[in-house]
Amino acid sequence: MNRADTPALKKAMIAAADAIVAAEPELTRIDMVIGDGDHGIGMKTGFTAIRKLLAQTDYETPYALFHACGLCLVKSMGGSSGVLFGTLLIGGLESIRGLDSLDGGDMCAFLCGGIDAVVRRGKARAGDKTMVDALLPAKERMQEALLQTRDIDRILKAAEEGALEGVERSKDMLPRLGRSKGFRESALGWPDPGAVSVSVLMGGLYRGLSK
Ligand code: ADP
Ligand code: MG
């Protein structure tokens, strides 16, 4: 698939929201070890709100769709991940302003803008065991894929693959001091919950679009 219009992208966002909601038990289990245990519930709350919003609203453009979804997360979620996942959907909007549909290059620019905004806002560095450790390889894989194709489904597939690589690598990372209730070593062997959420989000978008 080369391009996706607003209805197709809305379908992809709905699939991504369903995937996040379905992942809640796994996210909760991981955040019980790595963090304070609220990540799964926070994500479920935010993406249930998106699901509700999208059931009752249609949007004119991809910009309006992602803007509404990002704001919905910030408003409904609370916690650092509400702001960060909202920033992921809002930070790259300028690159798709005025477009009626997105090809892989547009999607890559949009997501990479969001990823850069999350890095600026959260100030986590690669290896800190955060969602950034899934976002940076997702960005790399998308940019590599873009050298071969401008198909939007191939770009989202690359984003998911990169995120999953990051999830695997995050298992060997120690969280930054201050997180993980002080038991840093107990986090070894477990992935970062926010990184897992990133992979679920990218995978949901990809599968929702290619359905
Ligand atoms: P909180 O940390 O407020 O309890 P959540 O539990 O919902 O929020 O989310 C935790 C996730 O948020 C972590 O697994 C991590 O991926 C991500 N995260 C937290 N702080 C940062 C940060 N400064 N930069 C990037 N990601 C972060
Ligand atoms: Mg938490």
Side-chain angles (χ1 to χ4, degrees):
M1 178 193 294
N2 186 242
R3 313 186 68 84
D5 59 11
T6 312
L9 292 167
K10 175 174 161 175
K11 212 177 72 178
M13 268 313 295
I14 289 173
D18 287 343
I20 291 281
V21 171
E24 182 273 316
E26 185 199 353
L27 297 173
T28 297
R29 197 161 52 91
I30 302 169
D31 197 40
M32 298 279 245
V33 182
I34 307 281
D36 52 3
D38 62 353
H39 184 65
I41 297 298
M43 292 298 286
K44 183 179 181 179
T45 302
F47 283 83
T48 301
I50 285 188
R51 198 68 178 74
K52 213 176 272 173
L53 180 70
L54 296 185
Q56 60 200 24
T57 324
D58 283 321
Y59 297 92
E60 292 278 312
T61 58
Y63 182 108
L65 168 72
F66 290 123
H67 187 237
C69 290
L71 286 183
C72 183
L73 291 183
V74 174
K75 275 191 244 163
S76 64
M77 277 175 71
S80 34
S81 58
V83 174
L84 292 170
F85 277 90
T87 299
L88 181 62
L89 294 180
I90 292 171
L93 280 174
E94 254 343 286
S95 61
I96 59 167
R97 185 187 281 281
L99 300 181
D100 291 322
S101 65
L102 308 186
D103 72 2
D106 303 323
M107 183 48 99
C108 179
F110 164 62
L111 287 175
C112 290
I115 290 167
D116 292 345
V118 168
V119 170
R120 279 197 304 274
R121 185 140 205 174
K123 300 195 169 59
R125 283 162 316 176
D128 281 347
K129 200 174 180 111
T130 71
M131 61 189 278
V132 165
D133 292 304
L135 291 171
L136 293 179
K139 177 177 171 177
E140 251 172 66
R141 290 286 164 270
M142 280 191 283
Q143 288 175 335
E144 278 167 23
L146 202 52
L147 301 174
Q148 314 284 332
T149 177
R150 288 189 73 90
D151 287 356
I152 186 168
D153 54 343
R154 296 269 307 278
I155 295 303
L156 285 173
K157 184 163 190 272
E160 183 193 21
E161 286 169 358
L164 286 170
E165 282 169 32
V167 166
E168 274 311 300
R169 267 185 263 142
S170 77
K171 292 180 182 174
D172 298 328
M173 296 172 186
L174 281 170
R176 247 186 329 190
L177 273 171
R179 273 189 61 213
S180 210
K181 301 170 189 163
F183 297 105
R184 301 205 324 145
E185 276 71 21
S186 67
L188 281 179
W190 292 82
D192 174 67
V196 174
S197 289
V198 168
S199 69
V200 172
L201 177 68
M202 300 299 184
L205 288 173
Y206 165 58
R207 270 175 283 283
L209 203 60
S210 30
K211 244 192 288 180

